Amino acid sequence: MDQHVKQGYRMHCALSNLNRLDVDRLDDADQERIERARTLLKEVSLLTQPADGDGRDTRVDS
């Protein structure tokens, strides 16, 4: 399996698991940690373009 696919799948699984938690049963500090983790995972994107914005693949094959 492609490394990017594995990483994306793992992030998806982590976010799915966090979304299944019954946060109402956790204390306030844990609720904040869960919400922060959800936010960070949602912000992650394997499809982020390079800073120059040209959209080209930057990987070099030898």
Side-chain angles (χ1 to χ4, degrees), residues 5-16:
V5 173
K6 283 183 186 178
Q7 291 172 348
Y9 176 73
R10 288 180 183 145
M11 286 188 295
H12 168 75
C13 288
L15 184 56
S16 294

Side-chain angles (χ1 to χ4, degrees), residues 10-62:
R10 288 180 183 145
M11 286 188 295
H12 168 75
C13 288
L15 184 56
S16 294
N17 289 336
L18 288 173
N19 286 333
R20 284 189 217 133
L21 290 174
D22 186 7
V23 293
D24 295 334
R25 300 180 81 188
L26 300 174
D27 62 28
D28 291 340
D30 287 337
Q31 286 180 11
E32 289 180 31
R33 288 183 192 105
I34 296 298
E35 190 57 37
R36 180 70 178 145
R38 285 179 184 162
T39 301
L40 290 172
L41 282 170
K42 288 176 184 178
E43 290 176 0
V44 173
S45 174
L46 295 176
L47 302 176
T48 302
Q49 297 296 320
D52 60 7
D54 68 1
R56 290 183 291 170
D57 188 1
T58 56
R59 185 180 70 215
V60 176
D61 294 328
S62 45

